[in-house]
Amino acid sequence: MSKTNRKGKSEIVLPPITVMEDEARRLNALASSSAVLFPRVAHFLAQEMERASVVADNSDLRGVVRMGSQVRYCDDKTGDVRDVVLVYPHEADITLKRVSVLTPVGAALIGLSVGQAIEFQTPGHNKRSLTVLSVSN
């Protein structure tokens, strides 16, 4: 997850992610339109979309986190396992375990495959790491 660069500083190494064309388009628009209200997470989501491999909308992405996916993930620091559904902000409801893609966890999960882990920074500037355990679309 982290590696040390030539200057001795720790860098986050991000796993490859895959997103369908329509979702990439919608998520880029969401990141852009949310930049003023939620600058950090909007920037993170935009960065994730920039580095994503974008595939045709009719691609078979079994085991890849997409919008509407039910995801089981493990918080690598605490060992807590959580089940959530990744949704657009207007559908979010934490009591129903519906997590917005416009949150640090949601933006981190999009495009990951089962078994992949990602490290990211929280709004409080702490590092957090998640591993995807299962995905159902």
Side-chain angles (χ1 to χ4, degrees), residues 2-12 127:
S2 294
K3 71 176 184 179
T4 304
N5 66 17
R6 285 185 237 157
K7 295 181 182 178
K9 290 190 176 184
S10 181
E11 294 180 341
I12 294 175
K127 285 185 182 171

Side-chain angles (χ1 to χ4, degrees), residues 17-137:
I17 60 174
T18 306
V19 180
M20 290 190 176
E21 282 180 274
D22 185 55
E23 286 182 356
R25 197 171 17 260
R26 287 185 72 186
L27 293 172
N28 274 316
L30 177 63
S32 182
S33 67
S34 302
V36 173
L37 288 176
F38 308 106
R40 281 203 175 110
V41 74
H43 180 70
F44 178 40
L45 181 59
Q47 284 182 311
E48 289 298 276
M49 291 303 98
E50 213 171 272
R51 71 183 194 84
S53 294
V54 178
V55 299
D57 289 331
N58 61 354
S59 300
D60 182 13
L61 290 184
R62 254 180 250 142
V64 175
V65 179
R66 300 177 46 212
M67 297 308 298
S69 291
Q70 182 160 351
V71 185
R72 173 171 280 182
Y73 70 89
C74 177
D75 183 309
D76 297 332
K77 184 176 181 180
T78 65
D80 290 345
V81 174
R82 295 195 174 98
D83 291 294
V84 299
V85 176
L86 188 61
V87 298
Y88 289 100
H90 68 279
E91 302 168 307
D93 185 339
I94 201 63
T95 61
L96 299 175
K97 300 181 180 180
R98 297 173 65 83
V99 173
S100 171
V101 71
L102 202 56
T103 62
V105 169
L109 287 172
I110 189 72
L112 290 177
S113 300
V114 173
Q116 283 185 311
I118 188 167
E119 188 174 298
F120 59 98
Q121 198 172 59
T122 66
H125 300 287
N126 296 314
K127 285 185 182 171
R128 189 161 175 200
S129 177
L130 308 175
T131 300
V132 176
L133 303 175
S134 67
V135 177
S136 55
N137 294 326

